Amino acid sequence: MKPNAGYPFEPPRERGTLRALALAALMHVLLALFLYHGMQWQNSPPAGAEAEIWTEVPSPSAPPPPAAAPPAQLAPPPAQREEADIALQQEKRRKQQEAQRQAHLAEQERVRRQAEQQVDAHRQQLAAQKAAAEKLKQQQAEKLREQQLAAQQRQGALKQQEALKKQEALKAQQLKEQQEKLAQAKKQQEQQAAKAKQAAEQAARQKLDQARRARLAQLQGLAGDAPGGNGLAQSGTGTGSGGTATSAGYADKVQRRVRPNVIWSGPTEGLDALIAVRCAPDGALLDARIARSSGNAQWDDAALRAVQRSDPMPLDTHGKAPASFNIRMRPAGG
């Protein structure tokens, strides 16, 4: 239904309206024909009436007639009766027309009221539909706002997560750099400590070597040039030098002390190194050096480390360790 420009809403057309209008028009035509023929029938001239009048002549001997009664009221003439009938018919037609007009007006009023009711119902329906559409529109707008807000919150959460990830990555990178710096610093410290240790060990060895040489020179000056260090069996020990003789079992003591500290997995054939040892009376190792190389630098280092790990050296039978002696080092099975 499309609204007009002058009237916003048009009442819906009822089914059968055309049929009702056609029937009403037919009834009006039939009624008009009926009235027309009725009026023609009333307007036809009435048939003529004939009357005979008889009069009696009184006789002279007859007594006079009695006094006549007063004349009765005469009926109206036929013309008046026709006019009265015509007026009656006209009044009847007028009443019928007035009744038809009133019925027609009542029908029009009923149709108008029905149309107004339909228009009101249609307006209410349109208002309800409009309200429902507005409500739906508001709900959709609210839902859209909620979705946009949720999307913004998700985007904010994602941004926060990305920021946190970046911060964590930056912290991890900084921590890694700090760890690398610490590792480099530690490595440098270890290198410096190793260099300092090597320098200290080298200085201590030099100092001990100088002291040993001074003591050997002193001992040689006191006791003469007494040779020492004739080799023993595979026990790996030798007799003391510097005028102090070792007991027969001292070599076994030194062997039991040194042998567990030897770490070697290389060849064993032809390896024979001589380690010169200088000890304090309580057995503390003052100096150990390679007096004669075996020709294999790795075995020489292993033999020297084994002797250094054996500090302190065992004491002899008189409760003191020899001041200096040589240890002959051979690999097991060599």
Side-chain angles (χ1 to χ4, degrees):
M1 181 183 299
K2 297 182 179 179
N4 297 327
Y7 196 73
F9 299 103
E10 183 176 297
R13 296 183 179 180
E14 297 182 353
R15 292 184 177 181
T17 304
L18 296 176
R19 185 183 300 173
L21 291 175
L23 292 176
L26 179 62
M27 291 299 295
H28 280 81
V29 170
L30 293 176
L31 180 61
L33 292 174
F34 176 76
L35 292 175
Y36 175 77
H37 288 291
M39 291 176 66
Q40 289 293 332
W41 176 71
Q42 292 292 336
N43 291 330
S44 61
E50 295 181 358
E52 294 182 358
I53 301 174
W54 297 84
T55 60
E56 294 182 358
V57 178
S59 62
S61 60
Q73 189 176 359
L74 299 176
Q80 293 181 357
R81 287 198 304 270
E82 290 180 0
E83 290 178 358
D85 292 338
I86 291 171
L88 183 62
Q89 292 294 332
Q90 289 178 353
E91 182 67 18
K92 186 176 181 181
R93 284 197 301 271
R94 187 184 64 78
K95 289 181 179 180
Q96 290 178 353
Q97 290 176 356
E98 182 67 19
Q100 290 177 358
R101 188 177 67 82
Q102 293 294 333
H104 185 66
L105 291 175
E107 181 67 20
Q108 289 181 349
E109 183 68 17
R110 185 186 66 80
V111 172
R112 186 183 64 80
R113 289 180 180 178
Q114 185 177 4
E116 289 180 355
Q117 291 177 358
Q118 292 178 354
V119 169
D120 292 338
H122 186 65
R123 287 178 180 175
Q124 293 177 0
Q125 184 178 4
L126 290 177
Q129 291 178 357
K130 186 177 180 181
E134 289 292 335
K135 185 176 180 181
L136 180 61
K137 186 177 180 180
Q138 291 178 359
Q139 291 177 354
Q140 290 177 352
E142 185 68 23
K143 186 175 181 180
L144 182 60
R145 285 196 296 270
E146 291 178 356
Q147 291 177 354
Q148 291 177 353
L149 181 61
Q152 291 177 358
Q153 291 178 353
R154 286 196 297 270
Q155 290 179 357
L158 291 175
K159 289 181 179 179
Q160 290 180 356
Q161 290 179 358
E162 290 178 357
L164 290 175
K165 288 181 179 179
K166 289 181 179 179
Q167 291 179 358
E168 291 177 355
L170 182 60
K171 289 181 180 179
Q173 183 67 22
Q174 293 177 353
L175 181 61
K176 185 178 179 180
E177 292 177 355
Q178 291 178 359
Q179 290 178 352
E180 290 178 353
K181 290 180 180 179
L182 291 175
Q184 291 178 357
K186 185 177 180 181
K187 186 176 181 180
Q188 291 177 358
Q189 290 177 358
E190 290 178 352
Q191 290 177 354
Q192 292 176 359
K195 289 180 180 179
K197 184 177 180 181
Q198 289 178 358
E201 290 178 353
Q202 186 175 3
R205 283 196 298 269
Q206 290 177 358
K207 186 176 180 180
L208 290 175
D209 189 45
Q210 290 176 359
R212 183 185 64 78
R213 289 179 181 178
R215 185 171 179 77
L216 286 176
Q218 183 180 4
L219 291 175
Q220 287 177 359
L222 293 176
D225 192 10
N230 49 329
L232 296 177
Q234 296 181 1
S235 62
T237 61
T239 57
S241 62
T244 304
T246 60
S247 63
Y250 188 72
D252 293 335
K253 291 182 179 180
V254 173
Q255 177 186 6
R256 289 193 295 271
R257 175 63 62 84
V258 176
R259 180 172 292 177
N261 296 324
V262 177
I263 300 175
W264 179 250
S265 60
T268 59
E269 294 294 334
L271 298 180
D272 188 0
L274 187 63
I275 309 298
V277 178
R278 190 171 63 83
C279 295
D282 59 352
L285 186 63
L286 300 177
D287 185 29
R289 62 183 180 84
I290 299 174
R292 187 183 69 246
S293 175
S294 64
N296 189 328
Q298 294 179 354
W299 167 247
D300 294 343
D301 292 340
L304 183 60
R305 284 195 298 271
V307 173
Q308 291 173 349
R309 293 192 190 99
S310 302
D311 185 27
M313 290 294 175
L315 302 179
D316 203 355
T317 55
H318 51 75
K320 295 182 179 180
S324 62
F325 53 92
N326 297 329
I327 302 176
R328 187 177 181 183
M329 299 293 294
R330 297 178 183 177

